[in-house]
Amino acid sequence: MLRGAREKARKEALDIGLCHADIASLPFPEKQFDIVLSVCALCFIRDRQSALLEMHRVLRPGGRVIVAVLSSLSPWALARRVKGLVRGSVYKDAKFISPRSLSASLKEAGLKQIRTETCLFFPPVNNGLFLKSSGLWEDAGRRLVPWSGAFLAATAVKGR
């Protein structure tokens, strides 16, 4: 992932720093960042709480944590779990997370103003008809079962 990020940054002439680190022991001082972003990582980390506490540590007061994970309440979670067991993919060991569990973990890490949302409501079917009708599935899912989207995003704020 780092190799790909470095190459992309080079092609875009971006001057950004990248590093390889343990998410439970980041090589940054306390209160270093205004925003901490984690996309689809927490599902693959054994000690989710240590990771969130470390995100809290490096965040400035008033800063925001943005976390995205795969929701355990979605049909996609079951499909990915089966795929992991049958084909041996990375999803075999993933720990999918519910909106309630993610909110509780963020709160336990000392974060406030927690807000979660889900999206990606269409079924985990690789079929052109489903893909063409994805907008209808999204609208219906958001109205009827808003907790069941496959992609779960949360924002939270570090208190002052």
Side-chain angles (χ1 to χ4, degrees):
M1 295 300 281
L2 278 173
R3 191 172 25 250
R6 283 188 181 106
E7 180 62 23
K8 187 171 187 175
R10 185 191 64 73
K11 285 180 181 176
E12 297 292 327
L14 299 173
D15 183 22
I16 58 174
L18 301 168
C19 73
H20 179 264
D22 180 346
I23 195 167
S25 181
L26 296 171
F28 306 112
E30 289 184 18
K31 303 174 185 172
Q32 178 76 21
F33 301 102
D34 293 319
I35 296 175
V36 174
L37 172 68
S38 170
V39 179
C40 293
L42 284 182
C43 296
F44 301 97
I45 296 169
R46 286 197 178 123
D47 188 352
R48 176 187 338 154
Q49 210 54 42
S50 290
L52 290 171
L53 285 168
E54 189 66 354
M55 290 178 201
H56 182 275
R57 182 188 71 79
V58 301
L59 195 62
R60 290 185 181 128
R64 187 171 302 276
V65 169
I66 303 166
V67 177
V69 297
L70 300 173
S71 176
S72 63
L73 302 180
S74 166
W76 286 83
L78 177 60
R80 295 208 189 254
R81 176 73 64 221
V82 169
K83 181 180 178 181
L85 294 172
V86 173
R87 295 187 190 159
S89 79
V90 296
Y91 296 109
K92 182 181 87 171
D93 297 320
K95 303 264 189 291
F96 302 120
I97 305 168
S98 72
R100 183 177 295 186
S101 178
L102 182 57
S103 290
S105 293
L106 290 164
K107 184 176 181 180
E108 189 177 323
L111 295 156
K112 310 208 180 303
Q113 299 177 33
I114 299 161
R115 186 172 155 235
T116 63
E117 297 234 0
T118 63
C119 65
L120 192 60
F121 294 96
F122 65 87
V125 177
N126 189 8
N127 176 290
L129 180 60
F130 281 110
L131 294 175
K132 286 179 183 176
S133 63
S134 64
L136 297 172
W137 286 98
E138 288 301 303
D139 291 343
R142 197 167 278 110
R143 279 194 321 275
L144 302 173
V145 284
W147 45 265
S148 72
F151 192 71
L152 167 62
T155 62
V157 176
K158 182 175 181 174
R160 298 206 178 257

